[in-house]
Amino acid sequence: MSESTIVDKSTAGRDARQYHIGIAPGEVGTVALMPGDPFRVPFVAEFLTEVREVAHNREHRTMTGMYKGRLITATSTGMGCPSTAIAVEELARVGVTSFIRVGSSAGLQPGVAPGDLLVSEGSLRNDGTTAAYVHPGYPAVPDLAITSELERVARELSEVTGRSVHAGLSASDDAFYAEGPEWISQLSEMGILNVEMEASAMYVVARLRGLRAGMICACSSNLVAGESLYDEGNARLKDGWMASIEVALDAAVNLEL
Ligand SMILES: O=P(O)(O)O[C@H]1O[C@H](CO)[C@@H](O)[C@H]1O
Ligand SMILES: O=c1cc[nH]c(=O)[nH]1
């Protein structure tokens, strides 16, 4: 095989409509809010004006609209690091430079209650995707300015709403149903605040590509206290998601992302 026939994915298709997210350069803004679930992209749109659905291919649904004078994009990552890395790589190729994950995540410390807001200051890389990108010791850290602003805005809002806010380290797992009691208690003993499945890929890919990322989640359950909102349907969780989206939007506008 001649070397010249081997595709270089780092450059191939860079300026075209992107294969997975279905977006072409110029169709989105510079900041993307990223829920996991495509059905939560319209929750972001509830805060926006001039809403447009740009694309919906596989798990990646994208809408744009205006918030306080700024063009905002919302794209779903799907579940897990593989599809998150793809979404970040492809959104970067069409012009996005900042990414804020607005997801749900399980609490791992006492006193973290379902519905609380969780701001991530870094994530433990228990995933296979980032291992394919970079040395295992490379840290998965969000952009510090985005992180501080998410926490500041969340705490400001909590003075009005009473919703509790926690900031700390998160963990990103690959396998939801392999999160056994032993692993959960190990994470908790390490002082990890919460666990989810996408942040490590978002942070690592963003750092490697010179982009910025952050995460604010709504707590969906507490795995050490045995509390969960899963059985109650999505009503109370939706309140938390909406609060996290509002914080992310204001942080994006304040930082002019
Ligand atoms: O609610 P989202 O943002 O999808 O996040 C969490 O929910 C899914 C697991 O139920 C994983 O994607 C996890 O990270
Ligand atoms: O990884 C995750 C994310 C949310 N909830 C869990 O129990 N685990």
Side-chain angles (χ1 to χ4, degrees):
M1 191 169 18
S2 119
E3 235 179 65
S4 60
T5 63
I6 299 174
V7 172
D8 180 356
K9 288 194 179 178
S10 68
T11 50
R14 191 163 265 289
D15 303 321
R17 184 167 298 283
Q18 296 297 304
Y19 181 49
H20 302 92
I21 61 173
I23 302 171
E27 290 182 335
V28 291
T30 53
V31 58
L33 268 59
M34 305 196 76
D37 183 351
F39 290 97
R40 272 190 261 135
V41 172
F43 292 176
V44 180
E46 284 183 34
F47 290 92
L48 309 180
T49 58
E50 301 171 51
V51 172
R52 184 171 160 248
E53 176 149 2
V54 180
H56 190 171
N57 193 41
R58 296 177 180 249
E59 60 267 67
H60 304 300
R61 182 178 192 179
T62 296
M63 297 174 110
T64 57
M66 299 302 292
Y67 183 77
K68 298 185 180 173
R70 257 197 123 68
L71 179 61
I72 302 289
T73 300
T75 301
S76 46
T77 57
M79 279 191 282
C81 286
S83 63
T84 300
I86 287 171
V88 171
E89 293 272 21
E90 293 191 0
L91 283 170
R93 290 165 182 217
V94 297
V96 177
T97 52
S98 296
F99 303 81
I100 304 181
R101 172 164 149 70
V102 283
S104 31
S105 183
L108 296 169
Q109 297 299 322
V112 175
D116 290 356
L117 292 182
L118 309 169
V119 177
S120 161
E121 296 175 338
S123 205
L124 184 148
R125 290 173 50 200
N126 190 33
D127 73 280
T129 303
T130 61
Y133 271 89
V134 74
H135 187 282
Y138 188 92
V141 280
D143 177 83
L144 299 184
I146 292 178
T147 305
S148 313
E149 189 61 9
L150 287 173
E151 186 179 354
R152 193 193 67 75
V153 173
R155 292 201 187 280
E156 194 173 75
L157 212 72
S158 83
E159 283 169 24
V160 183
T161 61
R163 187 182 296 280
S164 296
V165 177
H166 311 268
L169 295 176
S170 51
S172 302
D173 279 347
D174 265 348
F176 185 92
Y177 286 110
E179 288 169 342
E182 214 173 292
W183 177 237
I184 289 164
S185 60
Q186 265 186 54
L187 288 175
S188 182
E189 280 161 24
M190 282 189 259
I192 304 286
L193 179 65
N194 59 295
V195 60
E196 51 79 68
M197 297 174 63
E198 291 81 21
S200 55
M202 184 173 282
Y203 299 163
V204 167
V205 175
R207 287 273 170 179
L208 292 174
R209 303 286 181 248
L211 308 162
R212 306 171 75 184
M215 174 169 81
I216 181 163
C217 284
C219 177
S220 50
S221 61
N222 187 316
L223 298 177
V224 294
E227 293 165 356
S228 172
L229 286 186
Y230 299 135
D231 302 332
E232 292 182 28
N234 280 341
R236 254 179 82 201
L237 255 182
K238 186 174 176 185
D239 284 350
W241 289 329
M242 295 310 266
S244 68
I245 290 166
E246 192 174 0
V247 170
L249 286 169
D250 279 325
V253 166
N254 296 343
L255 293 171
E256 300 183 5
L257 298 179

